[in-house]
Short mmCIF file of all heavy atoms in Angstrom, two decimals:
data_model
loop_
_atom_site.label_atom_id
_atom_site.label_comp_id
_atom_site.label_asym_id
_atom_site.label_seq_id
_atom_site.Cartn_x
_atom_site.Cartn_y
_atom_site.Cartn_z
N MET A 246 46.20 -138.87 99.41
CA MET A 246 46.59 -138.63 98.02
C MET A 246 45.70 -137.56 97.39
O MET A 246 44.50 -137.55 97.61
CB MET A 246 46.46 -139.94 97.22
CG MET A 246 46.98 -139.82 95.79
SD MET A 246 46.85 -141.38 94.90
CE MET A 246 48.06 -142.37 95.78
N LYS A 247 46.32 -136.64 96.61
CA LYS A 247 45.57 -135.55 95.98
C LYS A 247 45.41 -135.81 94.48
O LYS A 247 46.30 -136.36 93.84
CB LYS A 247 46.30 -134.22 96.17
CG LYS A 247 46.54 -133.84 97.63
CD LYS A 247 45.26 -133.43 98.30
CE LYS A 247 45.57 -132.89 99.70
NZ LYS A 247 44.36 -132.68 100.50
N CYS A 248 44.28 -135.35 93.94
CA CYS A 248 44.02 -135.49 92.51
C CYS A 248 45.02 -134.65 91.71
O CYS A 248 45.27 -133.50 92.04
CB CYS A 248 42.60 -135.04 92.21
SG CYS A 248 42.19 -135.04 90.46
N PHE A 249 45.57 -135.25 90.64
CA PHE A 249 46.51 -134.53 89.78
C PHE A 249 45.80 -133.45 88.96
O PHE A 249 46.41 -132.49 88.52
CB PHE A 249 47.22 -135.50 88.82
CG PHE A 249 48.06 -136.51 89.54
CD1 PHE A 249 47.77 -137.85 89.46
CD2 PHE A 249 49.14 -136.09 90.30
CE1 PHE A 249 48.55 -138.79 90.12
CE2 PHE A 249 49.93 -137.02 90.97
CZ PHE A 249 49.63 -138.37 90.88
N ASP A 250 44.52 -133.64 88.73
CA ASP A 250 43.76 -132.70 87.91
C ASP A 250 43.30 -131.48 88.69
O ASP A 250 43.56 -130.35 88.32
CB ASP A 250 42.54 -133.39 87.31
CG ASP A 250 42.85 -133.94 85.92
OD1 ASP A 250 44.03 -133.99 85.56
OD2 ASP A 250 41.90 -134.29 85.21
N CYS A 251 42.59 -131.72 89.79
CA CYS A 251 41.96 -130.60 90.48
C CYS A 251 42.46 -130.40 91.91
O CYS A 251 42.12 -129.41 92.55
CB CYS A 251 40.44 -130.78 90.47
SG CYS A 251 39.89 -132.15 91.51
N GLY A 252 43.28 -131.33 92.43
CA GLY A 252 43.85 -131.15 93.74
C GLY A 252 42.95 -131.57 94.90
O GLY A 252 43.33 -131.43 96.06
N ALA A 253 41.76 -132.08 94.59
CA ALA A 253 40.86 -132.54 95.63
C ALA A 253 41.35 -133.88 96.19
O ALA A 253 42.21 -134.53 95.61
CB ALA A 253 39.45 -132.67 95.08
N GLU A 254 40.78 -134.29 97.29
CA GLU A 254 41.18 -135.54 97.93
C GLU A 254 40.73 -136.74 97.09
O GLU A 254 39.64 -136.75 96.52
CB GLU A 254 40.54 -135.63 99.31
CG GLU A 254 41.18 -136.67 100.21
CD GLU A 254 42.65 -136.35 100.55
OE1 GLU A 254 43.00 -135.16 100.64
OE2 GLU A 254 43.40 -137.30 100.70
N MET A 255 41.60 -137.76 96.98
CA MET A 255 41.23 -138.98 96.26
C MET A 255 40.92 -140.07 97.28
O MET A 255 41.63 -140.25 98.27
CB MET A 255 42.36 -139.42 95.34
CG MET A 255 42.69 -138.37 94.29
SD MET A 255 43.70 -139.02 92.93
CE MET A 255 42.44 -139.67 91.84
N LEU A 256 39.87 -140.82 97.00
CA LEU A 256 39.42 -141.86 97.92
C LEU A 256 39.67 -143.24 97.33
O LEU A 256 39.55 -143.44 96.11
CB LEU A 256 37.92 -141.69 98.18
CG LEU A 256 37.48 -140.32 98.72
CD1 LEU A 256 35.97 -140.24 98.78
CD2 LEU A 256 38.09 -140.05 100.08
N ALA A 257 39.99 -144.21 98.20
CA ALA A 257 40.18 -145.58 97.75
C ALA A 257 38.87 -146.11 97.20
O ALA A 257 37.81 -145.95 97.81
CB ALA A 257 40.68 -146.44 98.90
N SER A 258 38.94 -146.75 96.04
CA SER A 258 37.74 -147.26 95.40
C SER A 258 38.12 -148.47 94.55
O SER A 258 39.25 -148.94 94.59
CB SER A 258 37.12 -146.16 94.54
OG SER A 258 35.95 -146.62 93.91
N THR A 259 37.16 -148.98 93.79
CA THR A 259 37.47 -150.01 92.80
C THR A 259 36.83 -149.62 91.48
O THR A 259 35.84 -148.88 91.45
CB THR A 259 36.94 -151.41 93.23
OG1 THR A 259 35.53 -151.32 93.43
CG2 THR A 259 37.62 -151.91 94.47
N THR A 260 37.42 -150.11 90.40
CA THR A 260 36.90 -149.77 89.08
C THR A 260 37.03 -150.97 88.15
O THR A 260 37.58 -152.00 88.53
CB THR A 260 37.67 -148.56 88.51
OG1 THR A 260 37.02 -148.13 87.31
CG2 THR A 260 39.12 -148.93 88.19
N THR A 261 36.51 -150.83 86.95
CA THR A 261 36.66 -151.86 85.93
C THR A 261 37.65 -151.37 84.88
O THR A 261 37.46 -150.31 84.29
CB THR A 261 35.30 -152.16 85.26
OG1 THR A 261 34.39 -152.60 86.26
CG2 THR A 261 35.45 -153.24 84.21
N HIS A 262 38.72 -152.14 84.68
CA HIS A 262 39.77 -151.77 83.74
C HIS A 262 39.48 -152.40 82.39
O HIS A 262 39.24 -153.60 82.29
CB HIS A 262 41.12 -152.25 84.29
CG HIS A 262 42.29 -151.81 83.47
ND1 HIS A 262 42.68 -150.49 83.37
CD2 HIS A 262 43.17 -152.52 82.71
CE1 HIS A 262 43.76 -150.42 82.58
NE2 HIS A 262 44.07 -151.63 82.16
N PHE A 263 39.51 -151.59 81.34
CA PHE A 263 39.14 -152.04 80.00
C PHE A 263 40.30 -151.79 79.04
O PHE A 263 40.82 -150.69 78.97
CB PHE A 263 37.91 -151.23 79.57
CG PHE A 263 37.37 -151.58 78.21
CD1 PHE A 263 36.38 -152.54 78.08
CD2 PHE A 263 37.84 -150.93 77.08
CE1 PHE A 263 35.88 -152.85 76.82
CE2 PHE A 263 37.35 -151.24 75.83
CZ PHE A 263 36.36 -152.21 75.69
N VAL A 264 40.73 -152.87 78.35
CA VAL A 264 41.84 -152.74 77.41
C VAL A 264 41.43 -153.29 76.05
O VAL A 264 40.97 -154.43 75.94
CB VAL A 264 43.09 -153.51 77.89
CG1 VAL A 264 44.27 -153.22 76.96
CG2 VAL A 264 43.44 -153.14 79.31
N ASP A 265 41.63 -152.50 75.00
CA ASP A 265 41.35 -152.95 73.63
C ASP A 265 42.67 -153.27 72.95
O ASP A 265 43.47 -152.38 72.67
CB ASP A 265 40.61 -151.85 72.87
CG ASP A 265 40.19 -152.31 71.48
OD1 ASP A 265 40.63 -153.40 71.05
OD2 ASP A 265 39.41 -151.59 70.84
N LEU A 266 42.93 -154.58 72.72
CA LEU A 266 44.19 -155.00 72.12
C LEU A 266 44.05 -155.25 70.62
O LEU A 266 44.83 -155.98 70.03
CB LEU A 266 44.69 -156.29 72.80
CG LEU A 266 45.00 -156.17 74.29
CD1 LEU A 266 45.26 -157.56 74.87
CD2 LEU A 266 46.18 -155.27 74.54
N LYS A 267 43.03 -154.65 70.01
CA LYS A 267 42.75 -154.82 68.58
C LYS A 267 42.20 -156.21 68.28
O LYS A 267 41.07 -156.36 67.83
CB LYS A 267 44.00 -154.57 67.71
CG LYS A 267 44.68 -153.25 67.97
CD LYS A 267 43.77 -152.06 67.73
CE LYS A 267 44.53 -150.75 67.99
NZ LYS A 267 43.64 -149.61 68.02
N LYS A 268 43.01 -157.25 68.50
CA LYS A 268 42.56 -158.60 68.21
C LYS A 268 41.64 -159.13 69.31
O LYS A 268 40.94 -160.11 69.14
CB LYS A 268 43.75 -159.56 68.04
CG LYS A 268 44.59 -159.71 69.30
CD LYS A 268 45.58 -160.85 69.18
CE LYS A 268 46.35 -161.01 70.50
NZ LYS A 268 47.15 -162.22 70.54
N CYS A 269 41.67 -158.49 70.47
CA CYS A 269 40.85 -158.96 71.58
C CYS A 269 40.64 -157.85 72.60
O CYS A 269 41.31 -156.81 72.57
CB CYS A 269 41.49 -160.17 72.25
SG CYS A 269 43.16 -159.85 72.80
N ILE A 270 39.70 -158.09 73.49
CA ILE A 270 39.37 -157.10 74.51
C ILE A 270 39.49 -157.77 75.88
O ILE A 270 39.03 -158.89 76.08
CB ILE A 270 37.93 -156.58 74.31
CG1 ILE A 270 37.85 -155.75 73.02
CG2 ILE A 270 37.48 -155.75 75.51
CD1 ILE A 270 36.43 -155.44 72.59
N VAL A 271 40.13 -157.08 76.79
CA VAL A 271 40.29 -157.59 78.15
C VAL A 271 39.55 -156.67 79.13
O VAL A 271 39.71 -155.45 79.08
CB VAL A 271 41.77 -157.66 78.56
CG1 VAL A 271 41.91 -158.17 79.99
CG2 VAL A 271 42.56 -158.55 77.61
N ILE A 272 38.72 -157.28 79.97
CA ILE A 272 38.01 -156.52 81.00
C ILE A 272 38.40 -157.10 82.36
O ILE A 272 38.22 -158.29 82.60
CB ILE A 272 36.49 -156.62 80.79
CG1 ILE A 272 36.10 -155.99 79.44
CG2 ILE A 272 35.75 -155.91 81.93
CD1 ILE A 272 34.69 -156.31 79.01
N VAL A 273 38.96 -156.25 83.21
CA VAL A 273 39.36 -156.69 84.55
C VAL A 273 38.47 -155.98 85.57
O VAL A 273 38.45 -154.74 85.63
CB VAL A 273 40.84 -156.37 84.83
CG1 VAL A 273 41.26 -157.01 86.16
CG2 VAL A 273 41.74 -156.86 83.70
N LYS A 274 37.74 -156.78 86.33
CA LYS A 274 36.79 -156.21 87.29
C LYS A 274 37.40 -156.06 88.68
O LYS A 274 38.36 -156.73 89.03
CB LYS A 274 35.54 -157.10 87.37
CG LYS A 274 34.82 -157.20 86.03
CD LYS A 274 33.45 -157.82 86.19
CE LYS A 274 33.54 -159.28 86.59
NZ LYS A 274 32.20 -159.90 86.60
N ASN A 275 36.82 -155.18 89.46
CA ASN A 275 37.21 -154.99 90.87
C ASN A 275 38.67 -154.60 91.04
O ASN A 275 39.37 -155.12 91.91
CB ASN A 275 36.90 -156.25 91.68
CG ASN A 275 35.42 -156.58 91.64
OD1 ASN A 275 34.58 -155.71 91.79
ND2 ASN A 275 35.09 -157.84 91.44
N VAL A 276 39.14 -153.71 90.19
CA VAL A 276 40.52 -153.24 90.30
C VAL A 276 40.61 -152.12 91.34
O VAL A 276 39.90 -151.12 91.24
CB VAL A 276 41.02 -152.69 88.94
CG1 VAL A 276 42.47 -152.25 89.05
CG2 VAL A 276 40.84 -153.74 87.85
N PRO A 277 41.47 -152.30 92.35
CA PRO A 277 41.61 -151.24 93.35
C PRO A 277 42.22 -149.98 92.74
O PRO A 277 43.17 -150.05 91.97
CB PRO A 277 42.54 -151.85 94.40
CG PRO A 277 43.23 -152.98 93.72
CD PRO A 277 42.31 -153.45 92.63
N CYS A 278 41.66 -148.82 93.08
CA CYS A 278 42.17 -147.56 92.53
C CYS A 278 41.86 -146.44 93.51
O CYS A 278 41.20 -146.65 94.52
CB CYS A 278 41.52 -147.25 91.19
SG CYS A 278 39.76 -146.87 91.30
N PHE A 279 42.33 -145.24 93.18
CA PHE A 279 41.94 -144.05 93.91
C PHE A 279 41.09 -143.21 92.99
O PHE A 279 41.42 -143.04 91.82
CB PHE A 279 43.17 -143.26 94.37
CG PHE A 279 43.89 -143.92 95.51
CD1 PHE A 279 44.97 -144.76 95.28
CD2 PHE A 279 43.47 -143.71 96.82
CE1 PHE A 279 45.63 -145.40 96.32
CE2 PHE A 279 44.13 -144.33 97.88
CZ PHE A 279 45.20 -145.17 97.63
N GLU A 280 39.98 -142.72 93.51
CA GLU A 280 39.08 -141.93 92.68
C GLU A 280 38.88 -140.55 93.31
O GLU A 280 38.61 -140.43 94.50
CB GLU A 280 37.73 -142.65 92.55
CG GLU A 280 36.75 -141.90 91.67
CD GLU A 280 35.48 -142.71 91.40
OE1 GLU A 280 35.36 -143.83 91.93
OE2 GLU A 280 34.62 -142.21 90.67
N CYS A 281 38.96 -139.51 92.48
CA CYS A 281 38.78 -138.14 92.95
C CYS A 281 37.31 -137.91 93.28
O CYS A 281 36.43 -138.19 92.47
CB CYS A 281 39.24 -137.15 91.89
SG CYS A 281 38.90 -135.44 92.35
N GLU A 282 37.05 -137.39 94.48
CA GLU A 282 35.66 -137.18 94.88
C GLU A 282 35.06 -135.98 94.18
O GLU A 282 33.86 -135.77 94.20
CB GLU A 282 35.56 -137.03 96.40
CG GLU A 282 36.36 -135.86 96.96
CD GLU A 282 36.24 -135.80 98.48
OE1 GLU A 282 35.40 -136.51 99.04
OE2 GLU A 282 37.00 -135.04 99.09
N GLN A 283 35.89 -135.15 93.55
CA GLN A 283 35.39 -133.95 92.88
C GLN A 283 35.20 -134.13 91.37
O GLN A 283 34.13 -133.89 90.84
CB GLN A 283 36.35 -132.78 93.14
CG GLN A 283 35.85 -131.46 92.57
CD GLN A 283 36.55 -130.28 93.22
OE1 GLN A 283 36.35 -129.99 94.40
NE2 GLN A 283 37.38 -129.61 92.47
N CYS A 284 36.26 -134.60 90.66
CA CYS A 284 36.15 -134.68 89.20
C CYS A 284 36.04 -136.11 88.69
O CYS A 284 35.82 -136.32 87.50
CB CYS A 284 37.33 -133.97 88.54
SG CYS A 284 38.90 -134.83 88.71
N GLY A 285 36.22 -137.10 89.57
CA GLY A 285 36.05 -138.49 89.14
C GLY A 285 37.26 -139.10 88.48
O GLY A 285 37.23 -140.23 88.00
N GLU A 286 38.37 -138.37 88.44
CA GLU A 286 39.62 -138.90 87.87
C GLU A 286 40.06 -140.13 88.66
O GLU A 286 40.00 -140.14 89.89
CB GLU A 286 40.70 -137.81 87.95
CG GLU A 286 42.02 -138.20 87.32
CD GLU A 286 41.97 -138.20 85.80
OE1 GLU A 286 41.03 -137.63 85.25
OE2 GLU A 286 42.87 -138.79 85.18
N LYS A 287 40.48 -141.19 87.93
CA LYS A 287 40.93 -142.42 88.60
C LYS A 287 42.43 -142.60 88.44
O LYS A 287 43.01 -142.24 87.43
CB LYS A 287 40.19 -143.63 88.03
CG LYS A 287 38.72 -143.64 88.41
CD LYS A 287 38.09 -144.97 88.02
CE LYS A 287 36.64 -145.05 88.47
NZ LYS A 287 35.78 -144.16 87.68
N TYR A 288 43.04 -143.17 89.46
CA TYR A 288 44.49 -143.34 89.46
C TYR A 288 44.84 -144.71 90.03
O TYR A 288 44.33 -145.11 91.07
CB TYR A 288 45.12 -142.23 90.30
CG TYR A 288 46.61 -142.39 90.50
CD1 TYR A 288 47.51 -142.04 89.49
CD2 TYR A 288 47.11 -142.88 91.70
CE1 TYR A 288 48.87 -142.20 89.67
CE2 TYR A 288 48.47 -143.04 91.89
CZ TYR A 288 49.35 -142.70 90.87
OH TYR A 288 50.69 -142.86 91.05
N TYR A 289 45.73 -145.44 89.35
CA TYR A 289 46.22 -146.73 89.85
C TYR A 289 47.58 -146.53 90.50
O TYR A 289 48.40 -145.75 90.01
CB TYR A 289 46.39 -147.73 88.70
CG TYR A 289 45.14 -148.07 87.94
CD1 TYR A 289 45.10 -147.99 86.56
CD2 TYR A 289 44.01 -148.51 88.61
CE1 TYR A 289 43.96 -148.33 85.85
CE2 TYR A 289 42.86 -148.85 87.90
CZ TYR A 289 42.85 -148.74 86.52
OH TYR A 289 41.73 -149.07 85.82
N THR A 290 47.84 -147.27 91.56
CA THR A 290 49.19 -147.27 92.11
C THR A 290 50.09 -148.05 91.14
O THR A 290 49.61 -148.81 90.29
CB THR A 290 49.24 -147.95 93.49
OG1 THR A 290 48.85 -149.32 93.34
CG2 THR A 290 48.29 -147.26 94.47
N ASP A 291 51.42 -147.87 91.27
CA ASP A 291 52.37 -148.57 90.40
C ASP A 291 52.19 -150.08 90.50
O ASP A 291 52.26 -150.80 89.51
CB ASP A 291 53.81 -148.21 90.77
CG ASP A 291 54.15 -146.78 90.37
OD1 ASP A 291 53.38 -146.19 89.59
OD2 ASP A 291 55.16 -146.27 90.85
N GLU A 292 51.95 -150.56 91.72
CA GLU A 292 51.78 -151.99 91.95
C GLU A 292 50.58 -152.52 91.19
O GLU A 292 50.63 -153.58 90.56
CB GLU A 292 51.62 -152.22 93.46
CG GLU A 292 51.57 -153.68 93.85
CD GLU A 292 51.32 -153.85 95.35
OE1 GLU A 292 51.48 -152.86 96.08
OE2 GLU A 292 50.95 -154.96 95.75
N VAL A 293 49.46 -151.80 91.25
CA VAL A 293 48.24 -152.22 90.56
C VAL A 293 48.43 -152.14 89.05
O VAL A 293 48.04 -153.05 88.31
CB VAL A 293 47.04 -151.36 91.00
CG1 VAL A 293 45.83 -151.65 90.11
CG2 VAL A 293 46.71 -151.63 92.46
N ALA A 294 49.07 -151.08 88.57
CA ALA A 294 49.30 -150.92 87.13
C ALA A 294 50.16 -152.07 86.60
O ALA A 294 49.91 -152.59 85.51
CB ALA A 294 49.98 -149.58 86.86
N GLN A 295 51.15 -152.47 87.38
CA GLN A 295 52.03 -153.57 86.97
C GLN A 295 51.28 -154.89 86.93
O GLN A 295 51.41 -155.68 86.00
CB GLN A 295 53.22 -153.66 87.93
CG GLN A 295 54.27 -154.66 87.47
CD GLN A 295 55.46 -154.71 88.41
OE1 GLN A 295 55.59 -153.88 89.31
NE2 GLN A 295 56.32 -155.68 88.21
N ARG A 296 50.45 -155.11 87.94
CA ARG A 296 49.65 -156.33 88.00
C ARG A 296 48.67 -156.38 86.81
O ARG A 296 48.47 -157.43 86.21
CB ARG A 296 48.87 -156.35 89.33
CG ARG A 296 47.82 -157.43 89.45
CD ARG A 296 48.42 -158.78 89.77
NE ARG A 296 47.36 -159.75 90.04
CZ ARG A 296 47.36 -161.01 89.59
NH1 ARG A 296 48.35 -161.44 88.86
NH2 ARG A 296 46.38 -161.83 89.88
N LEU A 297 48.09 -155.25 86.46
CA LEU A 297 47.19 -155.19 85.32
C LEU A 297 47.93 -155.55 84.03
O LEU A 297 47.41 -156.28 83.19
CB LEU A 297 46.57 -153.79 85.20
CG LEU A 297 45.45 -153.47 86.18
CD1 LEU A 297 45.07 -152.00 86.06
CD2 LEU A 297 44.23 -154.35 85.94
N ASP A 298 49.15 -155.05 83.89
CA ASP A 298 49.96 -155.38 82.71
C ASP A 298 50.18 -156.88 82.62
O ASP A 298 50.11 -157.47 81.55
CB ASP A 298 51.32 -154.66 82.78
CG ASP A 298 51.23 -153.21 82.36
OD1 ASP A 298 50.18 -152.81 81.83
OD2 ASP A 298 52.21 -152.48 82.57
N GLU A 299 50.48 -157.50 83.77
CA GLU A 299 50.74 -158.93 83.79
C GLU A 299 49.48 -159.71 83.42
O GLU A 299 49.54 -160.70 82.70
CB GLU A 299 51.22 -159.35 85.19
CG GLU A 299 52.63 -158.84 85.49
CD GLU A 299 53.02 -159.05 86.96
OE1 GLU A 299 52.21 -159.65 87.71
OE2 GLU A 299 54.08 -158.59 87.34
N ILE A 300 48.34 -159.28 83.94
CA ILE A 300 47.08 -159.96 83.64
C ILE A 300 46.78 -159.87 82.15
O ILE A 300 46.47 -160.87 81.50
CB ILE A 300 45.92 -159.33 84.45
CG1 ILE A 300 46.08 -159.63 85.95
CG2 ILE A 300 44.57 -159.84 83.94
CD1 ILE A 300 45.08 -158.89 86.84
N VAL A 301 46.90 -158.69 81.59
CA VAL A 301 46.61 -158.48 80.16
C VAL A 301 47.58 -159.27 79.30
O VAL A 301 47.20 -159.92 78.33
CB VAL A 301 46.66 -156.97 79.82
CG1 VAL A 301 46.57 -156.76 78.31
CG2 VAL A 301 45.54 -156.23 80.54
N GLU A 302 48.86 -159.23 79.69
CA GLU A 302 49.90 -159.94 78.95
C GLU A 302 49.62 -161.45 78.91
O GLU A 302 49.65 -162.07 77.84
CB GLU A 302 51.26 -159.68 79.62
CG GLU A 302 52.39 -160.59 79.17
CD GLU A 302 52.86 -160.29 77.76
OE1 GLU A 302 52.65 -159.14 77.32
OE2 GLU A 302 53.42 -161.18 77.11
N SER A 303 49.31 -162.03 80.06
CA SER A 303 49.11 -163.47 80.11
C SER A 303 47.82 -163.87 79.38
O SER A 303 47.76 -164.90 78.73
CB SER A 303 49.08 -163.96 81.57
OG SER A 303 48.03 -163.32 82.26
N LEU A 304 46.80 -163.04 79.47
CA LEU A 304 45.54 -163.35 78.79
C LEU A 304 45.68 -163.23 77.28
O LEU A 304 45.12 -164.02 76.52
CB LEU A 304 44.44 -162.39 79.27
CG LEU A 304 43.80 -162.71 80.60
CD1 LEU A 304 42.87 -161.58 80.99
CD2 LEU A 304 43.03 -164.01 80.53
N SER A 305 46.44 -162.26 76.82
CA SER A 305 46.53 -161.98 75.38
C SER A 305 47.20 -163.11 74.63
O SER A 305 47.08 -163.20 73.41
CB SER A 305 47.28 -160.67 75.14
OG SER A 305 48.63 -160.80 75.52
N ARG A 306 47.91 -163.98 75.34
CA ARG A 306 48.62 -165.08 74.68
C ARG A 306 47.68 -166.16 74.18
O ARG A 306 47.96 -166.83 73.22
CB ARG A 306 49.65 -165.69 75.63
CG ARG A 306 50.97 -164.95 75.62
CD ARG A 306 52.03 -165.71 76.42
NE ARG A 306 52.59 -164.85 77.47
CZ ARG A 306 52.59 -165.17 78.76
NH1 ARG A 306 52.08 -166.31 79.16
NH2 ARG A 306 53.12 -164.35 79.64
N PHE A 307 46.58 -166.38 74.89
CA PHE A 307 45.75 -167.52 74.49
C PHE A 307 44.28 -167.18 74.27
O PHE A 307 43.49 -168.03 73.92
CB PHE A 307 45.87 -168.66 75.52
CG PHE A 307 45.49 -168.25 76.92
CD1 PHE A 307 44.16 -168.27 77.32
CD2 PHE A 307 46.47 -167.88 77.84
CE1 PHE A 307 43.81 -167.91 78.62
CE2 PHE A 307 46.13 -167.51 79.13
CZ PHE A 307 44.79 -167.52 79.51
N MET A 308 43.90 -165.95 74.46
CA MET A 308 42.50 -165.61 74.27
C MET A 308 42.20 -165.26 72.82
O MET A 308 43.12 -164.98 72.04
CB MET A 308 42.12 -164.43 75.15
CG MET A 308 42.90 -163.18 74.83
SD MET A 308 42.53 -161.89 76.00
CE MET A 308 40.99 -161.35 75.38
N THR A 309 40.95 -165.28 72.46
CA THR A 309 40.58 -165.00 71.08
C THR A 309 39.90 -163.65 70.92
O THR A 309 40.41 -162.77 70.27
CB THR A 309 39.65 -166.10 70.54
OG1 THR A 309 38.57 -166.27 71.45
CG2 THR A 309 40.43 -167.39 70.36
N GLU A 310 38.77 -163.46 71.56
CA GLU A 310 38.05 -162.21 71.33
C GLU A 310 37.86 -161.35 72.57
O GLU A 310 38.17 -160.17 72.58
CB GLU A 310 36.68 -162.50 70.71
CG GLU A 310 36.80 -162.97 69.26
CD GLU A 310 35.44 -163.14 68.64
OE1 GLU A 310 34.47 -162.57 69.17
OE2 GLU A 310 35.34 -163.85 67.64
N ILE A 311 37.34 -161.95 73.62
CA ILE A 311 37.05 -161.15 74.79
C ILE A 311 37.29 -161.97 76.06
O ILE A 311 36.98 -163.16 76.11
CB ILE A 311 35.60 -160.60 74.76
CG1 ILE A 311 35.36 -159.64 75.92
CG2 ILE A 311 34.59 -161.73 74.72
CD1 ILE A 311 34.10 -158.80 75.73
N ALA A 312 37.86 -161.33 77.06
CA ALA A 312 38.11 -162.01 78.32
C ALA A 312 37.67 -161.10 79.46
O ALA A 312 37.95 -159.90 79.47
CB ALA A 312 39.59 -162.34 78.46
N VAL A 313 36.96 -161.67 80.41
CA VAL A 313 36.54 -160.94 81.59
C VAL A 313 37.11 -161.66 82.80
O VAL A 313 36.83 -162.83 83.01
CB VAL A 313 35.00 -160.86 81.70
CG1 VAL A 313 34.60 -160.04 82.91
CG2 VAL A 313 34.41 -160.27 80.43
N VAL A 314 37.94 -160.97 83.56
CA VAL A 314 38.53 -161.59 84.74
C VAL A 314 38.37 -160.67 85.95
O VAL A 314 38.14 -159.46 85.81
CB VAL A 314 40.05 -161.86 84.54
CG1 VAL A 314 40.25 -162.91 83.46
CG2 VAL A 314 40.78 -160.58 84.20
N ASP A 315 38.48 -161.26 87.12
CA ASP A 315 38.43 -160.48 88.35
C ASP A 315 39.86 -160.19 88.78
O ASP A 315 40.72 -161.08 88.72
CB ASP A 315 37.69 -161.28 89.44
CG ASP A 315 37.32 -160.38 90.61
OD1 ASP A 315 38.25 -160.01 91.37
OD2 ASP A 315 36.14 -160.07 90.77
N TYR A 316 40.13 -158.97 89.18
CA TYR A 316 41.48 -158.57 89.57
C TYR A 316 42.06 -159.50 90.63
O TYR A 316 43.24 -159.83 90.62
CB TYR A 316 41.47 -157.14 90.10
CG TYR A 316 42.82 -156.64 90.54
CD1 TYR A 316 43.74 -156.15 89.62
CD2 TYR A 316 43.20 -156.70 91.88
CE1 TYR A 316 44.99 -155.70 90.01
CE2 TYR A 316 44.44 -156.27 92.29
CZ TYR A 316 45.33 -155.77 91.35
OH TYR A 316 46.56 -155.34 91.75
N SER A 317 41.23 -159.92 91.57
CA SER A 317 41.72 -160.71 92.69
C SER A 317 41.80 -162.20 92.39
O SER A 317 42.26 -162.97 93.22
CB SER A 317 40.82 -160.48 93.90
OG SER A 317 39.50 -160.84 93.59
N ALA A 318 41.36 -162.62 91.20
CA ALA A 318 41.40 -164.04 90.85
C ALA A 318 42.84 -164.48 90.65
O ALA A 318 43.63 -163.80 90.02
CB ALA A 318 40.59 -164.28 89.58
N ASN A 319 43.17 -165.66 91.16
CA ASN A 319 44.54 -166.14 91.06
C ASN A 319 44.75 -167.05 89.85
O ASN A 319 45.81 -167.60 89.65
CB ASN A 319 44.92 -166.92 92.33
CG ASN A 319 45.09 -165.97 93.50
OD1 ASN A 319 45.63 -164.87 93.34
ND2 ASN A 319 44.64 -166.37 94.66
N SER A 320 43.71 -167.22 89.04
CA SER A 320 43.81 -168.12 87.90
C SER A 320 44.74 -167.56 86.83
O SER A 320 45.23 -168.27 85.99
CB SER A 320 42.42 -168.35 87.29
OG SER A 320 41.84 -167.11 86.95
N VAL A 321 44.98 -166.26 86.87
CA VAL A 321 45.87 -165.63 85.90
C VAL A 321 47.20 -165.36 86.58
O VAL A 321 47.38 -164.34 87.22
CB VAL A 321 45.29 -164.32 85.37
CG1 VAL A 321 46.17 -163.78 84.26
CG2 VAL A 321 43.88 -164.53 84.87
N ALA A 322 48.13 -166.29 86.47
CA ALA A 322 49.40 -166.13 87.16
C ALA A 322 50.52 -165.80 86.18
O ALA A 322 50.40 -166.09 85.01
CB ALA A 322 49.74 -167.40 87.93
ZN1 ZN B 5 39.97 -134.28 90.68
#
């Protein structure tokens, strides 16, 4: 996979996904991604992006201020 910004090679990595929903904040750790070795641009596959949406959606229903979850945790179904 090539970086959309600079065209350099992107390497498989993990990152921390941070979402500010105004009423609350969601932090998802250990999210698989591709990271550009040159400019540091990060990219999620469609599958990962969809899973992140589901995690944030399910958490936002019952959380109050801040939630920290691990991407691979199955507690958020
Ligand atoms: Zn790049």
